[in-house]
Amino acid sequence: VEVSGGNAPYTITISDIEIADASIDESKITITGVAEGETTINVKDNDGVEGSVKVTVKAKDDEGDDAEGDDTEGDDNEGGEE
């Protein structure tokens, strides 16, 4: 997330650090999901002007994990050839 406007430096606070973590480098905020749920990232500029971003972290979909499925198929094929 890129902060625009306001006066740097910016500070951030996270409503629930058990859901997401965040860091700021100049005006770029990097958000990392920690657990499933919702939280809010609050941003404050040097003049005390505030803004916020609502963050929703969802669990990874099992269908996106192709590598595990490929390994299983390979094991089954090898077993059938023996």
Side-chain angles (χ1 to χ4, degrees):
V1 176
E2 189 79 25
V3 179
S4 62
N7 293 311
Y10 304 100
T11 58
I12 57 174
T13 55
I14 307 157
S15 296
D16 189 344
I17 60 172
E18 293 183 10
I19 301 298
D21 188 23
S23 61
I24 189 162
D25 182 15
E26 295 184 14
S27 63
K28 182 179 178 183
I29 300 172
T30 302
I31 302 169
T32 305
V34 175
E36 193 170 2
E38 294 183 352
T39 190
T40 302
I41 310 291
N42 297 299
V43 183
K44 185 187 288 188
D45 77 356
N46 198 42
D47 295 329
V49 178
E50 297 183 358
S52 63
V53 176
K54 182 178 176 183
V55 176
T56 302
V57 178
K58 296 182 179 181
K60 183 177 178 182
D61 187 358
D62 289 337
E63 293 177 12
D65 190 3
D66 292 337
E68 185 176 333
D70 290 343
D71 289 342
T72 303
E73 288 177 359
D75 291 342
D76 289 343
N77 290 338
E78 290 173 20
E81 293 175 359
E82 292 179 349

